[in-house]
């Protein structure tokens, strides 16, 4: 699909990669509907980008957002499924000094699953249902997975969600083929955004030192892959790792 023909929803568009994707899409002539729980953050997006508060953990919100977006853009043929959070922690941790054993909290597990797994799946369901009801084809969905999908210490909740998104990218590509909707995923490595700025500095430095290309990634590195998934009509059901070689 051509970028200029897109009527695209971008979730988590108030900052980081989502904001970058929304900006790049708008520059290319796409119609963009940007959603985020951080409504104030959406204000920085370029003029012409439609914006509205969206909490992907709410079924009502997701449905209402998709209906509004299709109305505002005069249709809907693409979703960049980007909203995500982290709540890192070892599943079971023994403190070196005290010997005390603690565990990942139910709340941290549930929060990450609610946004990154259930919320992301909900957005695919609602967006593709809207395309199917309107008889719109072709369509495309780009899921934001993560290289953590291969397994990563301290991220049980995040790994579960991102691995599921990658596996279901295959499921949905097969399910939506009769509807004319392709589904692809991009799995970033370590990218410079507010999400990684909030990470433990030691963990962050160790990760960056392990990147073969020798630097942290930029949102633009991931945009190139998102753009590829959108533009290449022969790409379907697969997840592209874009991690500077970090996972090998
Ligand atoms: N930064 C990285 O290194 C990295 C690596 C791999 C994957 N990812 C994934 O890429 C995507 C974008 O990450 P980022 O680094 O730009 O993160 P970020 O934290 O900078 O931005 C994420 C955005 O999602 C929004 N959001 C959170 N919960 C939401 C909800 N319930 N409903 C709607 N919006 C919500 C936030 O408000 C924020 O604006 C995420 O899915 C993330 O898991 C990031």
């Amino acid at each position: 699909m051509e970028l200029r023909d897109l009527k695209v929803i971008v979730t988590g568009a108030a900052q980081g990669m989502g904001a970058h994707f929304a900006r790049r899409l708008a520059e290319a002539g796409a119609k963009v509907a940007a959603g985020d729980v951080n409504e104030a953050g959406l204000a920085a997006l370029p003029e012409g980008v439609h914006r509205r508060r969206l909490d992907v953990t709410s079924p009502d919100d997701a449905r209402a957002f998709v209906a509004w977006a299709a109305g505002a853009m005069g249709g809907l043929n693409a979703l960049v499924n980007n909203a995500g959070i982290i709540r890192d922690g070892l599943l079971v941790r023994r403190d070196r000094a005290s010997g005390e054993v603690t565990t990942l909290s139910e709340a941290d597990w549930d929060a990450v699953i609610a946004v990154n797994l259930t919320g992301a799946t909900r957005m695919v369901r609602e967006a593709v249902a809207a395309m199917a009801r309107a008889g719109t084809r072709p369509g495309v969905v780009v899921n934001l997975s993560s290289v953590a999908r291969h397994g990563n210490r301290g991220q049980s909740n995040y790994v579960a969600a991102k691995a599921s998104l990658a596996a279901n990218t295959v499921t949905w590509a097969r399910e939506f083929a009769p509807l004319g909707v392709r589904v692809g995923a991009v799995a970033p490595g370590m990218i410079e955004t507010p999400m990684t700025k909030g990470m433990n500095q030691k963990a962050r430095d160790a990760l960056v030192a392990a990147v073969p290309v020798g630097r942290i990634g930029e949102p633009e590195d991931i945009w190139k892959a998102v753009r590829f998934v959108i533009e290449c009509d022969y790409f379907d059901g697969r997840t592209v790792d874009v991690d500077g070689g970090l996972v090998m």
Side-chain angles (χ1 to χ4, degrees):
M1 291 173 77
E2 301 282 341
L3 297 179
R4 65 170 177 274
D5 295 334
L6 294 189
K7 294 169 179 172
V8 56
I9 289 174
V10 182
T11 68
Q15 64 177 38
M17 284 189 261
H20 189 78
F21 302 154
R23 204 165 285 126
R24 283 280 184 253
L25 285 159
E27 282 166 11
K31 293 192 171 69
V32 181
D36 203 294
V37 274
N38 173 10
E39 198 175 3
L42 295 172
L45 290 171
E47 219 175 297
V49 170
H50 305 282
R51 58 202 91 193
R52 176 176 158 136
R53 186 179 189 281
L54 164 68
D55 181 353
V56 300
T57 67
S58 155
D60 288 347
D61 227 35
R63 260 192 301 274
F65 184 90
V66 168
W68 163 83
M73 297 189 289
L76 173 69
N77 59 12
L79 167 68
V80 177
N81 201 14
N82 168 81
I85 61 168
I86 46 174
R87 296 281 187 278
D88 293 351
L90 300 178
L91 194 63
V92 179
R93 177 176 181 274
R94 185 167 55 199
D95 187 81
R96 275 204 201 122
S98 69
E100 192 199 349
V101 173
T102 54
T103 58
L104 182 73
S105 73
E106 295 281 339
D108 285 348
W109 174 269
D110 289 346
V112 169
I113 296 301
V115 178
N116 297 12
L117 175 51
T118 312
T121 304
R122 173 178 296 127
M123 289 310 298
V124 173
R125 183 187 70 205
E126 296 306 322
V128 174
M131 293 179 210
R133 286 186 190 116
T136 305
R137 58 191 301 157
V140 65
V141 172
V142 188
N143 291 317
L144 268 293
S145 178
S146 163
V147 284
R149 74 193 180 98
H150 301 291
N152 196 26
R153 190 172 177 275
Q155 291 197 307
S156 300
N157 44 8
Y158 192 75
V159 167
K162 295 302 189 181
S164 160
L165 265 191
N168 273 333
T169 291
V170 180
T171 307
W172 298 328
R174 292 178 184 165
E175 288 187 4
F176 303 156
L179 303 172
V181 177
R182 286 184 304 110
V183 186
V186 177
M190 177 82 176
I191 310 301
E192 182 84 66
T193 70
M195 181 181 274
T196 45
K197 281 192 183 105
M199 268 177 78
N200 171 296
Q201 191 63 37
K202 231 175 93 186
R204 193 186 130 112
D205 291 349
L207 263 173
V208 175
V211 177
V213 305
R215 65 170 175 86
I216 192 165
E218 299 293 336
E220 181 68 9
D221 295 312
I222 305 307
W223 163 244
K224 287 174 179 162
V226 169
R227 179 181 186 150
F228 165 74
V229 175
I230 292 168
E231 289 184 331
C232 181
D233 293 324
Y234 201 62
F235 187 82
D236 201 14
R238 300 287 174 256
T239 299
V240 197
D241 290 322
V242 184
D243 60 358
L246 179 63
V247 173
M248 293 201 284

